[in-house]
Amino acid sequence: MARDKAERSETRDFVAFLVKLALFILILRSFIISPFNIPSESMQPRLVVGDYLLVAKWPYGFSNYSLPFDISLFPGRVLPNAPTPGDVVVFKAPPTAREDYIKRVIALSGDIVQVTKGVVSINGTEVERKQVEDFEHPVTPNSPCYRDEFESPGSNGSRICRYPQFQETLPNGVSYRILDIYEDSEGDSTEAFVVPDGHMFLMGDNRDRSADSRFPAVDGHAIGMVPQANLVGRAWVSVFSTDGSAEWIKPWTWFTAARWERIGEGF
């Protein structure tokens, strides 16, 4: 009898532990951080396919879009804060708000944005931009070269991809690097956009490979102007990165495929 009671007590304790753990994870993912992995090249050079990030939920407040599993708890946004131009944000992509995307905030409500021959202008003033050294990355399963013309031999028989890289500095002083691979590509010259109230103008750092606010919102493609209400959170820190060469049946490749130098990078 005493043994049965002890076993039932242990079972209750274990179930209680699981319930507490589930609640902790739910609260953590709802209000503090959530994971996000990079699925495309649109944010190169800062982010590459195979990067895994933690996204901070608290900087912009909380809404149903920031909750996991499409949970609907409250209308509107609680403790709302506007993002700062230059922030790298995760959001629910218009028009359907079903998928999470990641882009950089370029401008906010009331700003006038235009791109002319690859140069961004905000409220009639060109954003400072200067060419720097090429962006280089090894050719791997997660990072193929966009076209053969950008590929060259590396050391020890490896292959290297090189893209033209620029330093861009917004009017508020936030500076970051972008790729502008081709001149006069689609999106390099646009009309003047007025950012509507409560919205954001977002762009990918890889300007020729990003379907962003320069293009009308189409499900699974471009996003148009993005409501601030769609914000999930702000990119916080890189926690892992893999070049895609790992094989599950070869455990040693789990380590050789890791891009250790990218782990721990903040935003």
Side-chain angles (χ1 to χ4, degrees):
M1 182 72 69
R3 182 177 179 181
D4 289 343
K5 288 183 178 179
E7 289 179 350
R8 286 197 295 271
S9 177
E10 289 178 359
T11 300
R12 284 196 300 270
D13 290 345
F14 181 67
V15 171
F17 167 76
L18 291 179
V19 171
K20 292 176 182 177
L21 180 62
L23 286 174
F24 172 75
I25 293 173
L26 180 62
I27 292 171
L28 184 72
R29 288 206 58 188
S30 299
F31 302 106
I32 303 175
I33 56 174
S34 65
F36 185 82
N37 69 288
I38 302 303
S40 75
E41 299 174 342
S42 71
M43 283 298 292
Q44 283 182 335
R46 178 60 187 87
L47 295 168
V48 298
V49 176
D51 282 354
Y52 290 79
L53 320 176
L54 290 180
V55 176
K57 294 291 188 74
W58 66 87
Y60 310 128
F62 309 97
S63 74
N64 293 328
Y65 289 128
S66 60
L67 301 179
F69 317 119
D70 295 324
I71 297 173
S72 181
L73 291 183
F74 37 73
R77 197 166 196 87
V78 177
L79 303 175
N81 288 303
T84 298
D87 285 357
V88 177
V89 299
V90 174
F91 58 96
K92 294 293 183 180
T96 60
R98 288 196 300 257
E99 294 186 69
D100 289 345
Y101 277 29
I102 186 167
K103 302 289 182 189
R104 190 180 296 277
V105 179
I106 299 298
L108 299 174
S109 305
D111 287 333
I112 302 172
V113 184
Q114 187 168 19
V115 184
T116 305
K117 295 183 178 179
V119 178
V120 179
S121 295
I122 301 175
N123 299 324
T125 301
E126 289 188 352
V127 170
E128 180 184 337
R129 168 175 139 152
K130 63 179 181 180
Q131 188 160 5
V132 295
E133 72 278 3
D134 287 349
F135 171 61
E136 299 182 1
H137 68 77
V139 176
T140 67
N142 270 350
S143 297
C145 212
Y146 175 46
R147 288 186 180 172
D148 291 342
E149 64 192 274
F150 299 107
E151 189 177 312
S152 58
S155 59
N156 302 319
S158 64
R159 293 174 296 154
I160 300 293
C161 197
R162 293 182 172 87
Y163 296 130
Q165 184 174 222
F166 299 82
Q167 188 88 13
E168 195 169 80
T169 303
L170 293 174
N172 64 357
V174 175
S175 186
Y176 48 88
R177 295 193 170 189
I178 67 167
L179 302 183
D180 194 356
I181 301 172
Y182 292 113
E183 294 183 1
D184 299 324
S185 61
E186 185 181 13
D188 267 1
S189 292
T190 71
E191 62 180 296
F193 300 97
V194 179
V195 184
D197 186 43
H199 286 65
M200 308 170 289
F201 190 95
L202 308 180
M203 296 181 74
D205 291 347
N206 189 343
R207 296 293 162 80
D208 295 323
R209 306 295 304 279
S210 177
D212 47 42
S213 293
R214 293 171 290 175
F215 309 99
V218 176
D219 190 25
H221 296 283
I223 55 176
M225 302 290 175
V226 179
Q228 291 184 29
N230 287 30
L231 284 167
V232 172
R234 185 176 68 201
W236 185 31
V237 64
S238 299
V239 294
F240 190 66
S241 184
T242 175
D243 65 16
S245 64
E247 299 180 46
W248 287 110
I249 60 173
K250 298 177 180 178
W252 61 90
T253 64
W254 305 348
F255 300 94
T256 57
R259 302 181 181 116
W260 300 104
E261 73 281 0
R262 300 188 63 82
I263 298 172
E265 290 187 346
F267 291 81

